[in-house]
Amino acid sequence: MHTFPKSIERLIGQLTQLPGVGPKTASRLVFYLLRDDRVVLSEFAESIANLKADLVTCETCHNIADENPCRICADVARDATILCLVEEPLDVLALERSGYRGQYHVLGGRISPMDGIGPGQLTIDDLILRLKAHSEIGEVVIATNPNVEGEATASYIVRILRDLPVKLTRIARGLPMGGDLEYADELTLHRAMEGRSALSQEAA
Ligand SMILES: [Zn+2]
C-alpha cells in the first residue's frame, strides 16, 4: 500500500480529527499547504500554537474572549434587560450577526446523557447567581439548538429558573429542526429572535 512521507501522514492524521474533514480533504489541504507559496507555514503554525494562549473565558458570560470581562459584557450601550442563553461561543457570533444587542450567557454545551454531560458541567449555577445579582435582567431568551438535546436542555433550565422573577422565552421555531444555530442565516435567526415566545409568566 502506498503511503505518504511520515510528516505528511502525520498532518493528515491530525487534520482528520477536525469536524467535517475526511482523509481526502485532509490530503488535499496538506498538499495545498506544501505547494502554495502564499501560505507562510511558520505563521500558520504560530497562529495554531498561540490559539489558546491569548484567550480567556469571560467570567460574566463564559464566552471566550481577549479580555475579562469580554467586549460584549463591558459594552454599556447594550441592552442590559435581556439575556440570551446559548450553548457555545459560535452561537454568540451567529446571534451578533442577526442584530441582537442584549447580554449573553454561554452554557458551555448541552445536557447530553449519551455523552455523559449533565447540568453540573454547564454554567447553570453561575447563571442563577448572575440573575440574582442583576435584577435589571428581566428576560432570559433560551436559544439552545432546536434539536433533541437542545430542547431537553431548554426544558431543564425552565424548571430551574421558574421561580426567579424573570420572564423566560424561547426563540421561535422558524429554525430548521435538528439544525444548529451557528449554521442559520442571519434573517432566519433575526426572525426567530423577534418571534420568541413566553415559556413562563413573570412571577407575581
Ligand atoms: Zn462576557
Side-chain angles (χ1 to χ4, degrees):
M1 198 184 105
H2 172 76
T3 50
F4 294 124
K6 272 188 199 130
S7 61
I8 292 180
E9 284 290 352
R10 181 163 158 245
L11 187 53
I12 290 174
Q14 286 169 326
L15 287 171
T16 52
Q17 289 168 14
L18 301 174
V21 182
K24 257 189 182 169
T25 305
S27 311
R28 222 174 292 142
L29 288 171
V30 171
F31 280 94
Y32 176 83
L33 290 174
L34 278 174
R35 201 172 49 222
D36 198 302
D37 293 337
R38 286 171 303 180
V39 185
V40 182
L41 290 182
S42 56
E43 286 178 10
F44 203 75
E46 200 184 305
S47 298
I48 293 175
N50 296 332
L51 189 60
K52 281 189 174 171
D54 297 330
L55 291 175
V56 293
T57 300
C58 173
E59 280 171 32
T60 306
C61 71
H62 294 274
N63 198 4
I64 47 167
D66 291 314
E67 56 220 341
N68 176 34
C70 71
R71 261 172 280 178
I72 292 175
C73 289
D75 186 351
V76 291
R78 297 183 70 103
D79 189 346
T81 67
I82 182 166
L83 182 148
C84 188
L85 194 57
V86 296
E87 293 178 17
E88 303 287 351
L90 273 174
D91 301 329
V92 172
L93 222 63
L95 282 156
E96 283 295 287
R97 283 199 302 269
S98 82
Y100 171 78
R101 288 296 176 263
Q103 311 298 313
Y104 291 100
H105 194 89
V106 180
L107 284 168
R110 75 211 84 177
I111 298 171
S112 172
M114 293 264 284
D115 301 317
I117 300 170
Q121 278 132 289
L122 306 179
T123 61
I124 297 170
D125 289 346
D126 269 8
L127 172 67
I128 295 168
L129 292 176
R130 188 175 171 192
L131 292 173
K132 284 180 175 166
H134 293 272
S135 56
E136 70 273 19
I137 302 170
E139 177 179 355
V140 173
V141 187
I142 302 177
T144 51
N145 285 314
N147 53 35
V148 176
E149 290 163 345
E151 294 296 344
T153 306
S155 304
Y156 177 84
I157 286 163
V158 169
R159 281 204 305 278
I160 294 291
L161 300 185
R162 198 155 38 195
D163 296 331
L164 292 176
V166 63
K167 187 178 159 190
L168 300 176
T169 55
R170 180 88 171 104
I171 49 169
R173 310 293 160 116
L175 295 165
M177 258 325 261
D180 263 22
L181 237 57
E182 57 173 289
Y183 300 123
D185 67 273
E186 288 147 46
L187 191 62
T188 305
L189 208 48
H190 181 75
R191 287 201 182 129
M193 185 61 86
E194 290 298 301
R196 66 186 183 272
S197 51
L199 293 167
S200 76
Q201 292 304 311
E202 200 168 326

